[in-house]
Amino acid sequence: MTIQQVDYNGLIPNNVGLGSDARVKRALEKWHPGYINWWKDMGPEGFQESLVYLRTAVSVDPKGWAKFDYVRMPEYRWGVLLAPQRDDRKIPFGTHKGEDVWQDVPGEYRAMLRRLVVIQGDTEPASVEQQRYLGKTAPSLYDMRNLFQVNVEEGRHLWAMVYLLQKYFGTDGREEAEALLQRRSGDPDTPRMLGAFNEQTPDWLSFFMFTFFTDRDGKMQLEALAQSGFDPLSRTCRFMLTEEAHHMFVGETGVTRIIQRTCEAMKEAGISDPYEIEKVRKLGVIDLPTIQKKANLHFSLTLDLFGNEISTNAANAFHAGLKGRYREHRLDDDHQLESKTYPVLRLIDGKIQNEDSPALSALNMRLRDDYVADCNNGVARWNKVIEQIGIPFQIKLPHVAFHRHIGEFSRTNADVDGNILSPAEWTHQRTDFLPSAADKDFIESLMKPQTEPGKFASWIAPPKVGIDNKPGDFEYVKIA
Ligand code: BYC
């Protein structure tokens, strides 16, 4: 069997030779029932018996790695899949640059590595928990199926991290794997580890914004971990990125389709002013200023996931060769950064200004800057749709200082253009920038399920093409 093929004979599909690794196989089989219990308790509510047209990874060959079929979600074949090992791979950055990559955990970096794996692992089930009620208000079977696809793959990403913990981190890895099933998104006593993963995803606009913005943080972090000198982590993340692309596709096209429907409805009704909010809402679509507010919310929550502007954790992880930069291999410098600087936006004397900081300590910001550029590409595609239909409006990402809870700007209040506001001004203007209770009520009022094949809720346009090239009226979910 080659690494491209996946062994489907046992309980846990894999391409890591579990069949001849009795210890890890036993550990994962022991963890499996707890995972299934977690999925049944915290996974998509109300659809566990439904047949869902899902893709399942059956290979890690980039040319044909997935197959599509109807599956009941609890029977999805969650597996452990690593991208193929590259011969002679060297550590690409940090103090060990140029040395052979590690196939085992380097003792001196064990704690740091475990923390990175645990944080990554914790986000995966968290997002499933956040999205568990959305199936009930899906705007179409197509969207419902995409939601469930994202959910089962986040579940698989949890498996990916749990495999690393079980295989490489002994007893404490086993304990961490258990704890990943115990924490709960939003639980006051046992919350998930990072802020954005304890927020709610109450409606479908939020879901699409989350998959656009927060899954894109996932992409950036996985890209940085895919550079790792710890080869099993690199290989795991490389394969996760293959699946992650679809999640961002769901987010980007979801918001595009909402924008398209809004603009088309406005055009049909002869409304050209996007700020005629009540008139637009009467058409049963979401007005563009409210879409902007949701983007402001999800972008700012996601920026918090990049950590502090100046971070010794990030510096240490890079120096050690554990977590690199976005597309490290394409960067043209010494890949060690010991004497380099990087400009970081900071709050100095009450003003937001750039300060040159040691490049190693500024790595969270470098990744965040790459992230913002990537987001802007997607936002430009949204704006193209608005422009083509001829509505005078542009979605714009807010300033990085806006609505922050981690880092420099958590100490201040800034508006979407980065102007510092007094606490009173912030309280007064907050709902100009972020969804108000009335905005939330309006969006909620639209969240009525549409479960007839080929039909879509009033506020979202149909997709251009179906999943797996299926026709428009394909029954993506056979609701039990
Ligand atoms: N919330 O030195 P700092 C995804 C803590 S998304 C709460 O700046 P560092 C996905 C921090 O832990 C990608 N606490 O931190 C998307 C530290 O605490 P300790 C997930 C926070 O380590 C959608 C202290 O503050 N993957 O995959 O440089 C659906 C000092 O901070 C937060 C990763 O994040 C926060 N937001 O940066 C499904 C990759 N931020 O240790 C999935 C792995 C910071 O001093 N993680 N703190 O007690 C990392 O690389 C880094 O840990 C972080 C933080 C970028 C998260």
Side-chain angles (χ1 to χ4, degrees):
M1 171 150 327
T2 69
I3 182 83
Q4 253 85 11
Q5 290 168 325
V6 177
D7 175 2
Y8 266 92
N9 294 329
L11 180 66
I12 302 160
N14 71 92
N15 69 346
V16 294
L18 272 190
S20 52
D21 191 346
R23 183 187 66 81
V24 177
K25 182 165 176 274
R26 226 179 8 255
L28 287 172
E29 285 177 352
K30 225 170 137 198
W31 187 80
H32 184 266
Y35 172 81
I36 296 293
N37 285 342
W38 166 81
W39 178 270
K40 288 186 173 162
D41 284 353
M42 300 309 294
E45 197 179 273
F47 297 92
Q48 302 283 348
E49 291 304 315
S50 302
L51 284 168
V52 187
Y53 192 70
L54 292 174
R55 84 177 175 190
T56 304
V58 288
S59 156
V60 292
D61 181 347
K63 286 195 217 85
W65 58 274
K67 76 170 173 56
F68 289 82
D69 208 347
Y70 283 107
V71 180
R72 281 187 189 82
M73 285 185 278
E75 291 159 19
Y76 187 78
R77 300 301 309 275
W78 285 285
V80 177
L81 306 173
L82 271 59
Q85 193 167 328
R86 290 182 189 149
D87 289 340
D88 293 334
R89 185 172 171 255
K90 305 289 179 205
I91 299 172
F93 58 90
T95 191
H96 302 285
K97 184 181 155 235
E99 296 173 21
D100 287 344
V101 289
W102 300 294
Q103 296 304 337
D104 224 320
V105 175
E108 57 191 312
Y109 303 136
R110 193 172 187 279
M112 210 189 314
L113 199 47
R114 193 187 64 198
R115 179 176 167 277
L116 287 171
V117 172
V118 168
I119 292 182
Q120 180 62 47
D122 192 66
T123 63
E124 315 290 0
S127 67
V128 176
E129 292 164 5
Q130 288 171 297
Q131 296 163 11
R132 65 187 290 237
Y133 300 115
L134 290 172
K136 296 185 169 177
T137 55
S140 70
L141 291 181
Y142 166 88
D143 291 292
M144 187 191 281
R145 176 263 166 214
N146 281 348
L147 165 73
F148 295 157
Q149 183 72 59
V150 168
N151 292 160
V152 292
E153 285 175 353
E154 299 302 3
R156 206 201 66 72
H157 292 181
L158 172 61
W159 272 93
M161 291 300 125
V162 164
Y163 167 71
L164 293 179
L165 289 169
Q166 302 273 22
K167 169 128 180 117
Y168 297 99
F169 292 91
T171 311
D172 42 340
R174 232 172 6 258
E175 285 165 8
E176 294 285 11
E178 277 310 312
L180 286 167
L181 295 176
Q182 304 307 323
R183 287 186 287 273
R184 290 285 180 274
S185 173
D187 189 299
D189 301 320
T190 54
R192 292 294 172 183
M193 297 174 88
L194 300 176
F197 291 92
N198 288 302
E199 298 286 332
Q200 289 183 344
T201 312
D203 58 68
W204 278 78
L205 179 53
S206 274
F207 170 66
F208 292 132
M209 289 292 179
F210 184 96
T211 38
F212 181 86
F213 286 113
T214 309
D215 279 80
R216 193 176 306 274
D217 169 49
K219 165 182 149 182
M220 303 308 288
Q221 302 289 350
L222 290 175
E223 287 273 4
L225 294 173
Q227 305 289 337
S228 185
F230 177 49
D231 205 40
L233 177 61
S234 165
R235 292 171 54 205
T236 303
C237 291
R238 269 168 27 221
F239 188 66
M240 289 162 77
L241 281 162
T242 318
E243 291 162 315
E244 200 69 30
H246 175 67
H247 304 188
M248 279 174 300
F249 162 86
V250 169
E252 181 170 328
T253 56
V255 177
T256 302
R257 290 162 51 218
I258 296 176
I259 288 175
Q260 183 191 335
R261 187 68 206 106
T262 301
C263 294
E264 284 169 354
M266 287 172 67
K267 200 83 185 174
E268 284 156 22
I271 304 171
S272 55
D273 180 358
Y275 293 94
E276 291 211 74
I277 289 174
E278 288 315 314
K279 272 196 188 169
V280 173
R281 287 185 177 181
K282 284 216 174 77
L283 305 172
V285 295
I286 307 174
D287 52 285
L288 297 174
T290 299
I291 296 175
Q292 172 72 64
K293 287 187 197 177
K294 280 276 195 182
N296 292 347
L297 176 66
H298 286 272
F299 179 67
S300 58
L301 288 172
T302 306
L303 290 185
D304 284 338
L305 295 173
F306 288 84
N308 287 291
E309 281 77 359
I310 302 300
S311 166
T312 30
N313 284 339
N316 291 340
F318 184 88
H319 181 80
L322 301 183
K323 184 180 174 191
R325 289 171 293 176
Y326 182 53
R327 298 187 170 157
E328 184 74 46
H329 53 287
R330 294 200 198 163
L331 300 174
D332 185 18
D333 59 22
D334 68 0
H335 301 277
Q336 292 186 315
L337 305 178
E338 302 287 346
S339 55
K340 296 275 191 316
T341 60
Y342 188 81
V344 174
L345 270 187
R346 307 199 62 178
L347 189 64
I348 300 167
D349 300 331
K351 291 204 191 82
I352 299 172
Q353 34 192 307
N354 259 318
E355 184 180 74
D356 278 338
S357 307
L360 273 175
S361 315
L363 282 164
N364 284 347
M365 286 313 91
R366 179 168 188 136
L367 195 62
R368 195 187 73 188
D369 288 345
D370 288 332
Y371 167 78
V372 174
D374 206 52
C375 287
N376 267 319
N377 291 336
V379 171
R381 288 189 286 271
W382 292 344
N383 284 331
K384 205 157 251 151
V385 173
I386 306 177
E387 195 190 318
Q388 273 165 0
I389 304 179
I391 305 291
F393 192 89
Q394 286 211 318
I395 307 275
K396 203 168 151 245
L397 294 180
H399 193 280
V400 293
F402 170 75
H403 188 238
R404 297 296 307 281
H405 299 93
I406 298 280
E408 291 281 305
F409 304 117
S410 60
R411 295 186 276 117
T412 189
N413 293 305
D415 70 11
V416 287
D417 296 317
N419 302 306
I420 302 290
L421 302 180
S422 70
E425 286 170 324
W426 168 256
T427 308
H428 188 67
Q429 293 182 35
R430 187 188 158 97
T431 54
D432 294 345
F433 311 131
L434 294 169
S436 65
D439 296 331
K440 288 180 197 160
D441 288 348
F442 169 68
I443 294 175
E444 204 184 305
S445 76
L446 293 180
M447 296 297 125
K448 307 256 164 54
Q450 176 51 272
T451 54
E452 213 176 300
K455 291 262 169 72
F456 289 80
S458 65
W459 48 270
I460 190 162
K464 285 207 175 77
V465 282
I467 292 294
D468 193 29
N469 278 322
K470 292 294 174 202
D473 59 354
F474 184 70
E475 192 176 7
Y476 288 100
V477 183
K478 295 185 182 180
I479 296 172

